[in-house]
């Protein structure tokens, strides 16, 4: 297969002046709209989809891809600057990124997020090109039992996510799982904990919860007392990551890219999950795990790379099989169909210019975004200089708009406010938000997968262990949960031996 | 002085005002539309209904003589958007479109649904339908509907059919088919067509009832096999696939229709204007060509009264089988 | 601090009982064929267990009396006002419209939470509302309602 020839052809398409312009327009608009909290690639695409109708097919795809990536890059901006997750996947970036901003290191945080995303994008695009068909057929092996096992594994890593009291974190996990059950039950259609509130029938809404828990609660915390103290350290310590930052980040970026890509391929995998996994892995591998949550750059580099990598991963099933795997790929697919294109096994043969042009423009888009975002860092950092007694009202307005815009319902804003209060109380009472968010994302997938598996197996639990992939996940989860105990035993034994 | 506005004057004043009002009303219908008409799409952007309306939007706007603004209000499988319109002013400037699920199925699954599908809705017109298909993957030993029925009869409860959600038309189709053919295929609900397809291809489920759009490219690449279609007639692009009615299972021949509705009390002249405009649109060759490109949609125009009847008939049929399903209210 | 933790855990205790009770009313089904209520019920049970443990922990532990050092007054009313403002914004958005609502919202916040002069307030509110309206309704063609004033 003459891949390099095709790639060259693809670049020749992507680098045509008209298409370059569309790419640039896409990334620019995508970034601006992605900066808005609560608006990630999916929302950006849905807002801008109608405009793309007036554009020829190949250029339209390039435009859409640019918007997707731009929105992704933009999503981390508000997470770092003001602790408002720009999209669900940027929640983890808030944990350390915002702390870095408060210490005057917003620049390096934004910078490493941009660079990490770029590197992850580059690596994964090449993996996409060479591995797409093989990976797609591997991804198909994931049925309900595998999903259940994977979600159990995801929850088990919660053990390492908690910073403070483990019991409190576990209670948060239960609370998050509970929140995930609110809404219409997928398997029976029965409303659970809805109490006739139409807005709750689809669930509480991840974005609204997250904006409230992180963004609004932070504002509430800051207005408790008069704004005498500086919320943000005014002496900005450098605009870009320094050598020390790079040394610490290169590992997380690499690991995040690989991890994110492989997790992203799995159809229906939320992009949120790889970011959490990356965060936990970095924390486990770090020599300073307690530092996580106070502004460790690894906590930004890893998850942001995983985020971008996972997004590229979601393109694999879409491009090779024509299956939408999430909100943003569904929109991309819809857009392609509106232009009369048919992504799927035949796309490469029928419209090679679309496929290779798209792939090449993904790379071009990534590069453009890096170039675009770096100077913007200076601008964003200046925004933090706005006096907080004005800034906070802007932050709140952004929160409101972000919550409203996904569904155009005012009820979502109310939900956000409720969770703002909850988040505030949680912070005062030492309960962490991260475990809650992870549980909220994992819970519904896990429960639905379990019940589907039981329908498929007609009641038997054996299938979780007879199928190799799910068995390995479950065993790994068990090991992770037992490992603290095993380590304790080991230490006891060593102490005893030393004492002899 | 008070004699000036005597009884006679007051009567004349009254008549003048009333006739002004009446002429105002018919004026309103004459002038309609006099501004932007908001059309609520009760689903998320990028969905099939969304794409359909946006593709033909310009043509419809032309024929009704006004500007259309599409607004997405997703939620609860369409119930949120429909309920928003059902509870809005019947002045013709807030309408809804969408498929038939929230109208003829959701009321059976959603307790305290905020609208009555017979009384609170004015049915304006039906435009097209989404045909569904019974699909297996190409490696499956089942090669036709007869194979399917035979296998199901020999192995009751063993076949697993993925559907994109509980309380959706495909779910109803497989249940109706079960009763029609006297077999027992187990429905496995997923959250959306996007989840069903990988499960089918990966062999975790045996078959599925799905709309054509998600699998069209897979079909062209030979990865899936269509056993039958649920449509009034064979759609363009699939001339060799039988419809389920042809195979003898008429009751299962249900499709989701895309129509236009408004709140109750919508003035008849406005409804008529829309009926005519939609009819004209669906007959335009450009529109037919656009719809054909859209993955198997079949134009099936019906005027308001007929549309309403169809919805209510299907609703009655579903109502009969729903109590025998698990989990319904 | 000890007391607060105690109240929290009692809350979780009661909450988990609530969840269990509500979940029971949905069908539980069997373990091999779960109904809608089984998962929430198990959650409630686990939460009950956890809150009991936490309760015992908080009772047993010696009170860590950390005096909250508050030299300044705790302005709880700021929090109440902000939440109320957000709620008001949400409820009136469809009727009043984006531009006007944003203007009022910003003005309210600026004036009440950390009082600015009237000039700053009105100016800030106006600029923000207009800029936001331009950005979202025109540039992004977002679907934020226009309201009665038509803008």
């Amino acid at each position: 297969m003459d891949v390099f020839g095709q790639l060259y052809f693809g670049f020749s398409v992507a680098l045509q002046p008209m298409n370059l312009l569309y790419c640039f327009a896409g990334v620019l608009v995508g970034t601006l709209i992605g900066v808005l909290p609560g608006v990630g690639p999916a929302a950006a695409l849905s807002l801008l989809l109608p405009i793309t109708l007036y554009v020829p097919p190949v250029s339209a795809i390039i435009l859409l891809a640019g918007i997707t990536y731009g929105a992704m890059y933009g999503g981390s901006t508000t997470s770092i600057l003001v602790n408002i997750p720009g999209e669900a996947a940027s929640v983890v970036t808030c944990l350390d990124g915002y702390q870095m901003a408060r210490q005057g290191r917003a620049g390096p945080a934004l910078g490493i997020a941009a660079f990490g995303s770029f590197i992850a994008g580059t690596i994964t695009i090449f993996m996409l090109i060479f591995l797409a068909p093989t990976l797609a057929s591997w991804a198909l092996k994931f049925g309900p039992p595998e999903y259940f096992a994977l979600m159990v594994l995801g929850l088990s890593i919660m053990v390492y996510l908690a910073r403070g009291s483990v019991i409190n974190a576990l209670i948060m996990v239960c609370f998050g799982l509970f929140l995930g059950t609110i809404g219409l039950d997928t398997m029976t259609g029965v409303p659970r904990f809805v109490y006739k509130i139409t807005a709750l029938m689809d669930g509480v809404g991840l974005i609204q919860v997250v904006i409230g828990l992180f963004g609004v609660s932070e504002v509430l915390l800051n207005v408790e007392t008069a704004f005498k103290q500086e919320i943000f350290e005014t002496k900005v310590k450098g605009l870009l990551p320094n050598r020390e930052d790079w040394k610490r980040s290169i590992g997380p970026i690499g690991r995040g890219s690989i991890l994110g890509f492989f997790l992203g391929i799995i159809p229906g995998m939320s992009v949120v999950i790889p970011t959490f996994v990356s965060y936990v892995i970095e924390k486990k591998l770090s020599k300073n795990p307690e530092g996580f949550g106070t502004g460790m750059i690894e906590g930004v580099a890893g998850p942001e790379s995983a985020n971008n990598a996972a997004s590229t991963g979601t393109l694999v099933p879409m491009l090779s099989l024509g299956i939408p795997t999430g909100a943003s790929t569904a929109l991309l697919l819809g857009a392609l169909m509106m232009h009369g294109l048919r992504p799927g096994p035949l796309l490469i043969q029928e419209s090679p210019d679309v496929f290779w042009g798209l792939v090449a423009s993904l790379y071009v888009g990534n590069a453009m975004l890096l170039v675009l975002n770096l100077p913007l860092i200076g601008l964003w950092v200046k925004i933090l200089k706005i006096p907080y007694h004005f800034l906070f009202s802007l932050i709140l307005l952004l929160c409101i708009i972000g919550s409203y815009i996904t569904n155009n319902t005012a009820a979502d804003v109310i939900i956000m406010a409720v969770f703002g209060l909850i988040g505030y109380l949680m912070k005062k009472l030492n309960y962490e938000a991260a475990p809650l968010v992870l549980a909220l994302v994992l819970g519904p997938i896990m429960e639905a997968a379990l019940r589907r598996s039981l329908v498929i197996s007609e009641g038997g639990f054996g299938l979780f262990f007879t199928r190799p992939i799910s068995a390995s996940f479950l065993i790994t989860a068990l090991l992770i949960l037992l490992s603290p105990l095993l380590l304790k035993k080991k230490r006891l034994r060593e102490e005893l031996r030393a004492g002899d | 002085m008070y004699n000036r506005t005597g009884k006679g004057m007051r009567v004349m004043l009254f008549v003048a005002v009333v006739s002004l009002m009446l002429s105002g009303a018919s004026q309103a219908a004459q002038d309609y539309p006099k501004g932007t008409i908001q059309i609520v799409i009760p689903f998320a952007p990028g969905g099939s209904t969304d794409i359909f309306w946006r593709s033909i939007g310009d043509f419809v706007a032309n024929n009704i003589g006004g500007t259309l603004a599409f607004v997405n209000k997703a939620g609860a499988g369409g119930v949120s958007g429909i309920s928003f319109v059902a509870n809005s002013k019947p002045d013709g400037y807030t309408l809804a479109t969408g498929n038939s699920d929230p109208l003829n199925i959701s009321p059976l699954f959603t307790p305290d649904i905020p609208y009555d599908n017979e009384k609170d809705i004015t049915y304006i017109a039906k435009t097209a339908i989404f045909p569904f298909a019974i699909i297996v993957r190409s490696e499956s030993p089942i090669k036709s509907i007869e194979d399917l029925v035979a296998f199901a009869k020999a192995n009751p409860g063993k076949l697993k059919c993925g559907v994109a959600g509980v309380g959706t038309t495909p779910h109803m189709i497989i249940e109706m088919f079960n009763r029609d053919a006297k077999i027992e295929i187990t429905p496995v609900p997923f959250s959306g067509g996007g989840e069903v397809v990988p499960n089918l291809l990966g062999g975790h489920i045996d078959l599925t009832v799905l709309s054509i759009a998600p699998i069209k490219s897979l079909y062209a690449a030979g990865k899936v096999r269509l056993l039958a279609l649920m449509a009034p007639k064979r759609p363009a692009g699939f001339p060799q696939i039988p419809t389920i009615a042809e195979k003898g299972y008429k009751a299962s021949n249900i499709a989701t229709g895309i129509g236009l509705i408004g709140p109750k009390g919508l003035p008849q002249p406005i409804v008529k204007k829309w009926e005519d405009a939609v009819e004209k649109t669906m007959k335009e060759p450009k529109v037919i060509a656009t719809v054909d490109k859209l993955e198997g949609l079949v134009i099936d125009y019906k005027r308001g009264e007929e549309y309403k009847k169809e919805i209510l008939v299907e609703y009655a049929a579903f109502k009969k089988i729903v109590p025998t399903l698990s989990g319904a209210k | 601090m000890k007391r607060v933790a105690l109240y929290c855990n009692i809350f979780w205790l009661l909450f988990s009982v609530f969840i269990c009770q509500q979940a029971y009313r949905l069908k539980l089904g069997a373990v091999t064929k779960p109904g809608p209520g089984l998962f929430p019920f198990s959650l409630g049970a686990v939460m009950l267990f956890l809150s009991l443990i936490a309760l015992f922990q908080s009772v047993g532990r010696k009170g860590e009396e950390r005096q909250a050092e508050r030299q300044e007054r705790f302005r709880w009313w700021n929090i109440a006002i902000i939440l109320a403002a957000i709620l008001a914004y949400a409820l009136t958005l469809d009727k009043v419209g984006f531009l006007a609502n944003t203007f009022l919202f910003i003005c309210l916040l600026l004036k009440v939470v950390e009082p600015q002069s009237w000039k700053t307030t009105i100016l800030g509110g106006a600029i923000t509302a207009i800029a936001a309206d331009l950005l979202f309704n025109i540039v992004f063609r977002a679907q934020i309602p226009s309201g009665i004033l038509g803008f």
Side-chain angles (χ1 to χ4, degrees):
Chain A
M1 186 170 63
D2 181 20
V3 175
F4 286 104
Q6 312 263 43
L7 207 54
Y8 180 74
F9 169 60
F11 272 105
S12 69
V13 172
L15 293 174
Q16 281 167 16
M18 231 16 225
N19 289 336
L20 269 180
L21 195 65
Y22 279 116
C23 192
F24 182 72
V27 303
L28 184 64
V29 175
T31 311
L32 289 178
I33 212 172
V35 169
L36 190 64
V39 177
L45 280 172
S46 65
L47 283 171
L48 299 165
L49 192 69
I51 306 180
T52 64
L53 278 182
Y54 302 106
V55 158
V58 182
S59 311
I61 303 313
I62 293 177
L63 181 63
L64 289 169
I67 295 174
T68 315
Y69 271 89
M72 242 186 349
Y73 271 72
S76 45
T77 308
T78 46
S79 313
I80 293 173
L81 290 179
V82 284
N83 205 44
I84 309 176
E87 41 168 350
S90 306
V91 168
V92 178
T93 313
C94 290
L95 298 175
D96 278 86
Y98 178 62
Q99 295 306 317
M100 283 180 73
R102 291 191 71 156
Q103 293 157 21
R105 302 238 300 146
L110 290 167
I112 207 71
F115 279 112
S117 299
F118 174 72
I119 297 174
T122 314
I123 299 177
T124 49
I125 290 174
F126 281 107
M127 289 174 77
L128 172 80
I129 298 174
F130 291 108
L131 298 177
T134 350
L135 290 172
S137 44
W138 176 74
L140 288 180
K141 293 212 173 65
F142 271 73
E146 283 72 30
Y147 275 91
F148 174 69
L150 185 59
M151 295 301 121
V152 170
L153 182 59
L155 273 186
S156 68
I157 65 172
M158 274 311 312
V159 176
Y160 296 106
L161 188 58
R163 292 191 64 220
S165 154
V166 177
I167 287 277
N168 282 356
L170 287 175
I171 292 184
M172 281 295 106
V173 168
C174 286
F175 187 46
L177 290 174
F178 163 71
L179 289 175
T181 61
I182 299 180
L184 293 176
D185 178 29
T186 354
M187 298 292 287
T188 58
V190 170
R192 299 194 289 191
F193 302 104
V194 169
Y195 305 116
K196 300 192 195 167
I197 304 175
T198 327
L200 289 181
M201 287 222 269
D202 273 329
V204 284
L206 180 64
I207 279 294
Q208 289 76 19
V209 169
V210 151
I211 293 182
L213 278 182
F214 285 84
V216 177
S217 70
E218 182 65 24
V219 171
L220 292 179
L221 264 178
N222 287 328
V223 299
E224 272 183 345
T225 53
F227 304 164
K228 297 258 174 55
Q229 74 274 38
E230 286 303 331
I231 307 289
F232 292 100
E233 169 72 50
T234 37
K235 209 163 36 134
V236 171
K237 302 189 183 113
L239 278 182
L240 285 177
N242 56 37
R243 186 171 286 170
E244 165 79 27
D245 293 327
W246 274 106
K247 223 170 40 153
R248 289 163 64 183
S249 306
I250 206 70
I253 292 178
R255 287 186 282 270
S257 310
I258 308 288
L259 176 80
F261 185 64
F262 282 103
L263 282 179
I265 297 174
I266 303 172
M269 172 64 61
S270 157
V271 191
V272 178
I273 297 175
T275 59
F276 272 92
V277 177
S278 166
Y279 188 80
V280 167
I281 288 183
E282 294 314 316
K283 189 172 175 187
K284 188 87 181 74
L285 292 174
S286 157
K287 299 197 182 63
N288 181 17
E290 303 79 36
F292 273 77
T294 61
M296 303 277 283
I297 202 164
E298 294 91 327
V300 177
E304 278 300 312
S305 313
N307 184 3
N308 199 319
S311 304
T312 317
T314 58
L315 290 176
V316 169
M318 192 199 86
L319 288 175
S320 53
L321 292 173
I323 307 171
T325 54
S328 37
T329 38
L331 283 162
L332 275 173
L333 207 65
L336 285 170
M337 294 204 305
M338 277 170 104
H339 286 280
L341 293 167
R342 281 195 316 200
L346 299 179
L347 184 70
I348 302 186
Q349 290 152 266
E350 287 184 353
S351 327
D353 54 340
V354 174
F355 181 79
W356 292 106
L358 171 65
V359 167
S361 71
L362 285 177
Y363 183 76
V364 171
N366 250 310
M368 270 194 203
L369 278 165
L370 190 65
V371 168
L372 188 67
N373 272 299
L374 289 178
L376 283 181
I377 293 181
L379 176 67
W380 300 131
V381 171
K382 284 226 176 60
I383 289 188
L384 288 186
K385 294 222 172 101
I386 299 178
Y388 200 73
H389 56 246
F390 187 47
L391 186 63
F392 88 92
S393 61
L394 293 176
I395 295 176
L396 287 174
L397 183 66
L398 281 183
C399 287
I400 292 179
I401 297 178
S403 311
Y404 181 83
I405 235 173
T406 14
N407 278 330
N408 293 320
T409 27
D412 285 342
V413 180
I414 299 182
I415 294 178
M416 176 202 85
V418 169
F419 277 94
L421 180 62
I422 294 179
Y424 170 74
L425 291 173
M426 276 166 58
K427 284 195 177 144
K428 305 287 296 176
L429 300 170
N430 273 319
Y431 289 99
E432 291 171 69
L436 191 156
V437 174
L438 183 62
L440 180 57
V441 173
L442 284 183
I445 306 179
M446 185 174 81
E447 187 200 357
L450 177 64
R451 290 163 73 181
R452 269 177 218 135
S453 307
L454 288 174
V455 173
I456 292 178
S457 71
E458 292 159 48
F461 279 91
L463 87 169
F464 293 113
F465 296 100
T466 51
R467 293 161 73 121
I469 302 182
S470 81
S472 43
F473 284 143
L474 285 176
I475 295 178
T476 316
L478 201 63
L479 287 174
I480 291 181
L481 286 172
L482 291 177
S483 67
L485 294 168
L486 292 170
L487 286 175
K488 263 210 198 127
K489 266 204 192 144
K490 229 168 123 192
R491 249 181 257 135
L492 275 174
R493 232 181 279 147
E494 283 167 2
E495 280 171 25
L496 286 174
R497 224 174 285 151
D500 271 344
Chain B
M1 265 176 299
Y2 294 110
N3 285 333
R4 291 282 164 154
T5 41
K7 241 200 175 141
M9 281 295 274
R10 262 183 267 157
V11 169
M12 276 174 60
L13 210 57
F14 177 72
V15 169
V17 168
V18 168
S19 47
L20 258 175
M21 278 170 58
L22 283 179
S23 66
S26 58
Q27 251 323 80
Q30 298 274 36
D31 289 341
Y32 180 86
K34 206 171 32 170
T36 315
I37 304 172
Q38 196 192 48
I39 302 205
V40 172
I41 303 178
F43 298 102
S48 320
T49 315
D50 188 71
I51 295 178
F52 172 75
W53 274 95
R54 291 187 194 268
S55 307
I56 66 166
D58 286 338
F59 299 101
V60 177
N62 238 359
N63 287 326
I64 193 77
T67 17
L68 304 176
F70 293 109
V71 174
N72 295 82
K73 278 193 191 288
V79 171
S80 300
I82 303 267
S83 118
F84 174 79
V85 170
N87 292 314
S88 57
K89 268 206 310 190
D91 55 7
Y93 288 95
T94 311
L95 303 173
T97 176
N99 53 32
S100 40
D101 287 16
L103 296 168
N104 58 12
I105 305 181
S106 298
L108 297 167
F109 282 87
T110 313
D112 311 305
I113 193 170
Y115 51 82
D116 179 311
N117 63 354
E118 194 172 347
K119 302 199 205 87
D120 290 334
I121 306 217
T122 311
Y123 292 83
I124 300 176
K126 177 181 172 191
T127 54
I129 58 157
F130 287 113
F132 290 98
I134 301 186
I135 308 164
V136 296
R137 65 187 178 289
S138 43
E139 298 94 15
S140 166
I142 299 176
K143 297 204 170 16
S144 66
I145 286 286
E146 290 80 13
D147 282 351
L148 181 66
V149 176
F151 192 93
K153 284 214 165 113
N155 304 286
K158 288 256 174 276
L159 283 176
K160 310 290 181 328
C161 175
V163 289
V166 160
T168 55
T169 311
H171 182 211
M172 293 292 114
I173 290 177
I174 197 71
E175 295 285 354
M176 295 290 270
F177 185 60
N178 271 342
R179 284 154 186 75
D180 229 2
K182 303 210 191 357
I183 52 178
E184 204 188 310
I185 298 180
T186 316
V188 182
F190 287 87
S191 353
E195 259 201 279
V196 179
V197 177
N199 276 285
L200 178 72
L201 292 176
H204 308 289
I205 48 176
D206 305 298
L207 68 151
T208 175
V209 175
L210 211 56
S211 59
I212 297 184
I215 49 97
K216 194 165 189 193
S217 57
L218 292 168
Y219 175 68
K223 293 224 182 231
V224 296
R225 189 180 306 139
L226 269 56
L227 299 180
L229 283 164
M230 269 67 74
K233 59 180 196 302
R234 298 190 183 191
F238 300 94
Q240 67 277 40
I241 311 287
T243 69
I244 195 110
E246 288 173 29
K247 287 284 171 181
Y249 302 104
K250 289 221 192 68
S252 315
N253 202 9
I254 313 164
T256 297
I258 312 178
L260 195 64
I261 57 166
K264 70 170 180 282
L266 205 55
Q268 192 50 29
I270 296 186
V271 176
K272 178 135 193 341
K273 239 188 170 181
W274 269 105
E275 285 179 336
D276 295 333
V278 173
E279 180 166 15
K280 192 153 159 239
T281 314
M282 302 321 288
K283 295 213 170 98
E284 282 183 41
K286 273 219 185 114
V287 172
I288 299 181
T290 313
V291 172
D292 274 344
K293 258 204 300 178
L294 285 178
E295 311 308 311
L297 282 170
V298 174
I299 295 190
D300 183 33
Y301 172 74
K302 285 197 163 66
R303 298 184 85 87
E305 276 309 307
E306 253 191 283
Y307 179 36
K308 178 173 188 175
K309 210 170 20 161
E310 190 180 65
I311 296 273
L312 292 176
V313 162
E314 285 175 355
Y315 175 64
F318 296 149
K319 201 166 184 190
K320 267 207 275 199
I321 64 171
V322 160
T324 59
L325 305 175
S326 63
K329 65 166 169 167
Chain C
M1 277 314 273
K2 188 177 79 166
R3 267 207 155 173
V4 175
L6 194 69
Y7 292 146
C8 283
N9 293 321
I10 294 182
F11 168 74
W12 288 121
L13 198 71
L14 295 173
F15 190 60
S16 49
V17 170
F18 167 74
I19 296 178
C20 284
Q21 193 250 349
Q22 292 288 297
Y24 187 73
R25 289 173 61 191
L26 304 164
K27 298 201 191 72
L28 287 185
V31 180
T32 49
K33 209 172 183 221
L38 190 63
F39 188 69
F41 185 81
S42 340
L43 277 184
V46 171
M47 201 189 251
L48 189 70
F49 179 61
L50 288 172
S51 57
L52 280 173
I53 297 180
L55 204 61
F56 284 134
Q57 274 188 349
S58 59
V59 166
R61 195 185 296 144
K62 290 250 194 78
E64 304 148 14
E65 296 302 330
R66 243 193 296 151
Q67 286 296 345
E69 277 150 35
R70 301 218 180 273
Q71 279 128 1
E72 306 162 47
R73 285 178 308 180
F74 177 65
R75 301 185 172 190
W76 63 269
W77 53 87
N78 278 350
I79 296 170
I81 289 174
I82 289 182
L83 289 173
I86 298 179
L87 285 174
Y89 190 98
L91 293 169
T92 55
L93 184 61
D94 277 323
K95 298 196 192 78
V96 176
F98 182 63
L99 190 64
N101 228 1
T102 310
F103 175 67
L104 291 171
F105 180 70
I106 304 275
C107 284
L108 180 72
L109 288 181
L110 287 180
K111 194 80 190 109
V112 175
V113 174
E114 185 75 18
Q116 309 294 309
S117 66
W118 272 112
K119 191 175 77 170
T120 322
T121 310
I122 304 262
L123 206 62
I127 297 178
T128 312
I130 296 178
D133 190 43
L134 276 176
L135 198 61
F136 296 114
N137 276 333
I138 299 172
V139 173
F140 291 143
R141 290 214 244 155
Q143 298 159 345
I144 316 186
S146 335
I148 46 168
L149 295 177
F151 46 36

